[in-house]
Amino acid sequence: MEEALKENIMGALEQVVDPELGIDIVNLGLVYDVQMDEEGKTLVTMTLTSMGCPLAGTIVDQVKISLEGIPEVKETEVNIVWNPPWSKDRMSRYAKIALGVT
């Protein structure tokens, strides 16, 4: 996948906000990888802040909706993984400041 397309996808994913924390999933460090095959099937590998996240379905739906506007993306699949486990170290500087995390 071209770097410009990957940046476009990551930019779209920044519109997906974790409802509990009020910060987008990219700055929270929840998105681990994005891959696309020749047919435009896009796989977003990500995690959640906790295994019992009650809003997992909502976040997955928002990921799919956020990528609908990108012409190259024909289909989106979201793969939720727990390894490596998420930690606050994955957060961007912006997210840490917004949440008061040091």
Side-chain angles (χ1 to χ4, degrees):
M1 177 182 348
E2 293 179 18
E3 193 59 35
L5 177 55
K6 190 165 190 170
E7 286 179 23
N8 194 12
I9 290 171
M10 293 302 282
L13 291 174
E14 285 182 355
Q15 304 307 307
V16 179
V17 174
D18 181 304
E20 292 180 304
L21 298 176
I23 305 290
D24 69 87
I25 62 173
V26 174
N27 278 293
L28 283 174
L30 299 179
V31 178
Y32 289 171
D33 191 31
V34 176
Q35 297 176 348
M36 180 186 291
D37 67 15
E38 304 80 39
E39 287 84 41
K41 183 174 182 182
T42 306
L43 175 64
V44 178
T45 301
M46 61 175 291
T47 193
L48 300 168
T49 55
S50 66
M51 277 187 156
C53 179
L55 298 168
T58 301
I59 292 172
V60 168
D61 289 343
Q62 288 179 356
V63 166
K64 292 178 179 180
I65 291 167
S66 74
L67 299 184
E68 286 178 351
I70 300 175
E72 296 88 347
V73 176
K74 306 300 182 205
E75 180 184 344
T76 303
E77 182 179 328
V78 180
N79 181 26
I80 303 289
V81 298
W82 302 110
N83 205 9
W86 179 82
S87 75
K88 66 180 183 180
D89 296 334
R90 296 192 54 85
M91 294 168 54
S92 71
R93 183 173 178 270
Y94 160 78
K96 287 179 181 177
I97 290 169
L99 294 173
V101 175
T102 56

